[in-house]
Amino acid sequence: MKKVKLSEIALAAGVSRATVSLALRGSPLIAKPTAERVRAVAERLGYVYNRTAAALRNRKTHTIGLVEANFKNPFFAAMSESVEREIEQRGKALLFVDSAESLQRQQKAIQLMLEHGVDGILLCPVRQTTQEDLGILVKAGVPFVLFSRYIPGFNTDYVGAANVEGAYQAVRKMIELGHRRIIFIGGEPYTSPWFDRVKGFKRAMEESGIELPSPWYVCSEVSVAGGASRVDEVLQMRPVPTAALCYSDTVAFGFMLGLERRGIHPGRDFAVVGFDDLPESRLWRPPLATLACPPSKVGSMAIRMLLERLDGEEGPPRRVEIQSELVQRDSLCPMWNT
Amino acid sequence: MKKVKLSEIALAAGVSRATVSLALRGSPLIAKPTAERVRAVAERLGYVYNRTAAALRNRKTHTIGLVEANFKNPFFAAMSESVEREIEQRGKALLFVDSAESLQRQQKAIQLMLEHGVDGILLCPVRQTTQEDLGILVKAGVPFVLFSRYIPGFNTDYVGAANVEGAYQAVRKMIELGHRRIIFIGGEPYTSPWFDRVKGFKRAMEESGIELPSPWYVCSEVSVAGGASRVDEVLQMRPVPTAALCYSDTVAFGFMLGLERRGIHPGRDFAVVGFDDLPESRLWRPPLATLACPPSKVGSMAIRMLLERLDGEEGPPRRVEIQSELVQRDSLCPMWNT
DNA sequence: TCCTCCCATTAGACCGATTTAATTATACAC
DNA sequence: GTGTATAATTAAATCGGTCTAATGGGAGGA
């Protein structure tokens, strides 16, 4: 199992190590016939390029770190896909960690990636993350881009959905359809998207002079189970809400399933709107109205911003918000007349 | 942004590079007070261990490659999670690629990982993969474990679900409940789990002397959309099937949504069984009967087998099948009486 | 023939940690 | 004081590419 290295190719081809190195990378310094011969020998010997050695010398690993907070969420899965696609195209590799909402795991992941010498990091910070927690990245001078979640007061590169506007839009529409008792359901509290969605929600209610129900939001894990787990609580409120803005489509799915189980028909007796526009949302019964913000856009924008930094882009931090568009579907029904 | 290295710590602590190296790794060769002093200096200077350099010297990167075929499938997401957990615990890193059912991408990923010098690889091969395609891994002597899918005739380490038995079990149950016109829905054809599930399906039908409908299976993408897209086709068959075994829970979800849209109630008018037992399956309306095979078990078994190989385990290839257990829920209803 | 210029090739230092073999310091016995 | 064993430390080679500066060889001009 001995690995073939440059010096062995050099020997076999009757040239020097330097020539082999240059030839294999297609340097114009090497004459065409020589390069061709070297390439053939390398192929014949089954040579595998050693990126570790090259990385040591170049101080560049061509590796990107991706730290997610919750990749069981299909939105993140879709996002990662587009990140991966871009990275693959450039012949780079992806170091991946799911911090699973644990600060400790996240910090360990960052440390690991620094030790591996990643060229840059894409990070969706867990909820308790402070500016100090990321100080190690700043000190190490490793470029990073936050995605989906930002850290209030910490001015960094960031890409995420237009959460305030999205939620605002949805609630305005609900009000326009006659709803007055509206509630916000699900999400990890004290993450920026949760906070911003709640903010847009509240703003729309207040602007219309509608009193907020009490409580006016309930939190949950971002999953079908999370949404389903809050149904009883909501139905026990008096007066009972008639509409819900859900933190995500998955939460909305769970909530709708829970409603149905209790004989309440979403899209007729209860209006539901989600966030994300997953591919299956339009297939649901009823089709789920939702705030569409393509995960692929978030992903490719984030990785592009990072790659620009790696190429030496020096400007001030950029904050990019991807537009959230309300997709009207049957689950967003008018208030029933009493 | 200059990086601190061992020699600088050595200088500051008044010892040699070798001492620093040993001290930081807690070697018993170094006297306690010295080690303590060195550690303090390293801390003060903000030293970050350079794994690239260590990897070059040690010929070991402490990195594992994970190549998935379709990680938008929630089953894989859950599986990856348990893999990650195990790897993290051991201070190793994960190089991740989603081949997205493309052989070309898969081969590129394998090449990349070899160049990065991963210690081992977990691979879910795309459908066209042949033994020759993985020859490069064998030649390079890099241990690998296949998961979820195997390659017929290629005797390697493998961990996956008990697909034949699972499908067999489900179909027997359907027959017991009075169903005769049963169809298999969804999945990527010519992957081993598809083939094995279809095989178990067929075996159960034949053993009971029931004629297979024509066609007796339809394929689809493994997703909600995939399942939904096959409903019309199935309902147009004559005689119309009364039960379906679906390739996965996601396919089953899509299929059930499609049935409902056409006014057919799964769990009453049509029996449906899935594969995987996703956390939301029990929450569905109706709750989805399914073949449970915990993704975390598959994942942790696969990574453990790989780690054993890395520790020098030399035995013959091991094939491990994780039991699939039929979870009876409302979607698996008896045949209605005509 | 000699000199210059240019192109192709190469020697050798380098990246930063690891480890072996050697050296120095310390302890203890005789 | 000498010798031996043991503990602590270190010099230097090493991992495998990369790249700069130097070398060699051939063409062309005078």
Side-chain angles (χ1 to χ4, degrees):
Chain A
M1 281 332 157
K2 264 257 308 324
K3 276 189 195 151
V4 180
K5 46 186 176 174
L6 289 193
S7 57
E8 279 147 49
I9 300 174
L11 197 66
V15 294
S16 74
R17 223 159 81 250
T19 303
V20 177
S21 175
L22 293 167
L24 290 184
R25 282 173 301 145
S27 160
L29 288 177
I30 304 299
K32 289 246 162 60
T34 314
E36 209 39 68
R37 189 156 44 90
V38 168
R39 242 187 293 275
V41 173
E43 169 79 13
R44 181 161 57 76
L45 298 183
Y47 172 71
V48 175
Y49 181 63
N50 183 334
R51 284 182 189 245
T52 304
L56 177 57
R57 170 68 219 230
N58 295 334
R59 299 133 149 279
K60 192 149 199 282
T61 57
H62 292 285
T63 284
I64 302 285
L66 176 60
V67 186
E68 299 222 336
N70 173 11
F71 91 121
K72 279 204 266 186
N73 182 334
F75 182 85
F76 285 116
M79 221 213 55
S80 309
E81 196 189 23
S82 70
V83 169
E84 232 229 281
R85 211 56 51 97
E86 297 272 349
I87 285 179
E88 189 204 314
Q89 268 176 20
R90 291 169 171 76
K92 296 186 187 296
L94 193 68
L95 268 187
F96 180 85
V97 173
D98 176 24
S99 64
E101 297 292 358
S102 148
L103 179 61
Q104 195 216 332
R105 258 202 280 274
Q106 169 180 291
Q107 297 305 99
K108 243 179 104 178
I110 291 176
Q111 179 68 31
L112 185 76
M113 290 179 172
L114 288 179
E115 294 183 357
H116 267 283
V118 294
D119 299 334
I121 292 184
L122 292 178
L123 174 69
C124 176
V126 303
R127 66 165 164 265
Q128 315 93 320
T129 308
T130 63
Q131 178 162 357
E132 287 70 44
D133 291 324
L134 303 188
I136 185 173
L137 283 178
V138 179
K139 249 195 308 189
V142 174
F144 65 99
V145 174
L146 301 185
F147 64 88
S148 288
R149 302 176 181 177
Y150 59 87
I151 294 171
F154 189 16
N155 190 21
T156 60
D157 282 336
Y158 161 77
V159 184
N163 290 310
V164 179
E165 295 70 16
Y168 178 83
Q169 226 182 121
V171 174
R172 291 293 297 205
K173 183 73 180 181
M174 287 171 168
I175 293 171
E176 193 185 310
L177 288 171
H179 293 280
R180 290 296 174 271
R181 298 189 302 280
I182 313 176
I183 187 165
F184 186 91
I185 295 178
E188 297 281 353
Y190 308 113
T191 59
S192 73
W194 180 85
F195 192 79
D196 286 346
R197 287 170 197 189
V198 156
K199 188 172 174 185
F201 177 94
K202 198 173 170 209
R203 179 178 301 166
M205 295 290 270
E206 284 172 347
E207 272 189 19
S208 308
I210 300 177
E211 205 182 342
L212 289 168
S214 168
W216 57 283
Y217 59 81
V218 297
C219 300
S220 82
E221 194 185 278
V222 181
S223 68
V224 175
S229 69
R230 288 297 176 256
V231 174
D232 282 329
E233 212 166 308
V234 171
L235 294 182
Q236 274 159 22
M237 290 171 61
R238 290 294 172 274
V240 170
T242 65
L245 176 58
C246 294
Y247 180 81
S248 74
D249 283 0
T250 52
V251 168
F253 294 156
F255 190 70
M256 293 201 294
L257 288 171
L259 287 177
E260 251 174 34
R261 157 159 312 181
R262 285 154 191 85
I264 297 170
H265 293 287
R268 196 191 71 187
D269 312 329
F270 206 110
V272 178
V273 174
F275 251 97
D276 293 347
D277 197 21
L278 299 181
E280 57 257 47
S281 295
R282 62 176 194 82
L283 299 172
W284 265 68
R285 297 284 300 163
L288 177 64
T290 186
L291 290 146
C293 171
S296 59
K297 264 198 197 167
V298 177
S300 61
M301 177 59 84
I303 183 64
R304 270 181 215 164
M305 277 171 62
L306 184 58
L307 291 170
E308 280 171 19
R309 290 291 181 199
L310 300 187
D311 288 346
E313 167 69 41
E314 287 288 359
R318 286 203 292 158
R319 291 181 52 82
V320 177
E321 289 205 331
I322 307 293
Q323 214 42 53
S324 290
E325 191 194 347
L326 178 62
V327 183
Q328 168 60 301
R329 297 203 187 101
D330 296 355
S331 72
L332 176 45
C333 55
M335 163 81 170
W336 31 261
N337 301 316
T338 38
Chain B
M1 278 337 154
K2 266 260 304 328
K3 276 189 195 155
V4 180
K5 45 186 177 174
L6 289 193
S7 56
E8 279 147 48
I9 300 174
L11 196 66
V15 295
S16 74
R17 229 160 72 245
T19 303
V20 177
S21 173
L22 292 166
L24 290 183
R25 280 173 302 144
S27 160
L29 288 176
I30 303 298
K32 287 248 165 56
T34 313
E36 209 40 67
R37 192 157 42 89
V38 168
R39 242 188 293 275
V41 172
E43 169 80 13
R44 182 162 56 74
L45 298 183
Y47 174 70
V48 175
Y49 181 62
N50 184 332
R51 284 183 189 243
T52 305
L56 176 58
R57 172 67 222 232
N58 296 334
R59 298 134 148 277
K60 193 152 198 276
T61 57
H62 293 286
T63 284
I64 302 283
L66 176 60
V67 186
E68 299 223 335
N70 173 12
F71 92 121
K72 279 204 268 187
N73 182 335
F75 182 86
F76 286 116
M79 221 212 56
S80 310
E81 195 188 22
S82 70
V83 169
E84 233 227 282
R85 211 56 52 94
E86 297 272 349
I87 285 179
E88 188 203 315
Q89 268 176 20
R90 290 168 171 77
K92 296 186 188 291
L94 192 68
L95 268 187
F96 180 84
V97 173
D98 175 24
S99 64
E101 296 293 0
S102 147
L103 180 60
Q104 195 216 332
R105 259 202 278 274
Q106 169 179 291
Q107 297 306 99
K108 243 179 105 176
I110 291 176
Q111 179 68 30
L112 185 75
M113 291 179 169
L114 288 179
E115 294 183 356
H116 267 282
V118 294
D119 299 333
I121 292 183
L122 292 178
L123 174 70
C124 175
V126 303
R127 67 165 163 264
Q128 314 94 321
T129 308
T130 63
Q131 178 160 358
E132 286 71 44
D133 292 322
L134 303 187
I136 185 171
L137 283 178
V138 180
K139 249 195 305 186
V142 173
F144 64 100
V145 174
L146 301 186
F147 64 88
S148 289
R149 302 177 181 176
Y150 59 86
I151 295 172
F154 189 17
N155 191 19
T156 61
D157 282 337
Y158 160 80
V159 183
N163 290 309
V164 179
E165 295 71 14
Y168 177 84
Q169 227 183 118
V171 174
R172 290 293 296 203
K173 184 71 180 182
M174 286 172 168
I175 293 171
E176 194 184 310
L177 289 171
H179 293 281
R180 290 297 174 271
R181 297 189 302 282
I182 313 175
I183 186 162
F184 186 91
I185 294 178
E188 297 280 354
Y190 308 113
T191 59
S192 72
W194 180 85
F195 193 80
D196 286 347
R197 287 169 197 191
V198 155
K199 187 172 171 184
F201 177 96
K202 196 172 170 206
R203 180 179 300 166
M205 294 290 269
E206 284 171 349
E207 271 189 17
S208 307
I210 300 177
E211 204 182 342
L212 289 168
S214 167
W216 56 283
Y217 61 81
V218 296
C219 301
S220 83
E221 194 186 279
V222 180
S223 68
V224 176
S229 69
R230 288 296 175 258
V231 175
D232 282 328
E233 212 166 308
V234 171
L235 294 182
Q236 275 159 22
M237 290 171 60
R238 291 294 172 272
V240 170
T242 65
L245 176 58
C246 294
Y247 180 81
S248 75
D249 283 2
T250 53
V251 168
F253 294 156
F255 190 71
M256 292 201 296
L257 289 171
L259 286 177
E260 253 175 32
R261 157 158 314 182
R262 284 155 192 84
I264 298 169
H265 294 285
R268 194 190 74 190
D269 312 329
F270 206 111
V272 178
V273 174
F275 251 97
D276 293 347
D277 196 22
L278 299 182
E280 58 257 46
S281 296
R282 61 176 195 81
L283 299 171
W284 265 67
R285 296 283 302 162
L288 177 65
T290 186
L291 291 146
C293 170
S296 59
K297 263 197 196 167
V298 177
S300 60
M301 178 59 83
I303 184 65
R304 269 179 217 165
M305 277 171 61
L306 183 59
L307 291 169
E308 281 172 18
R309 290 293 181 197
L310 299 188
D311 287 346
E313 166 70 40
E314 288 288 358
R318 287 204 292 160
R319 291 182 52 83
V320 177
E321 289 205 332
I322 307 293
Q323 213 42 52
S324 291
E325 190 195 347
L326 179 63
V327 182
Q328 168 59 302
R329 298 203 186 100
D330 296 355
S331 72
L332 177 45
C333 54
M335 164 81 170
W336 30 260
N337 301 314
T338 37

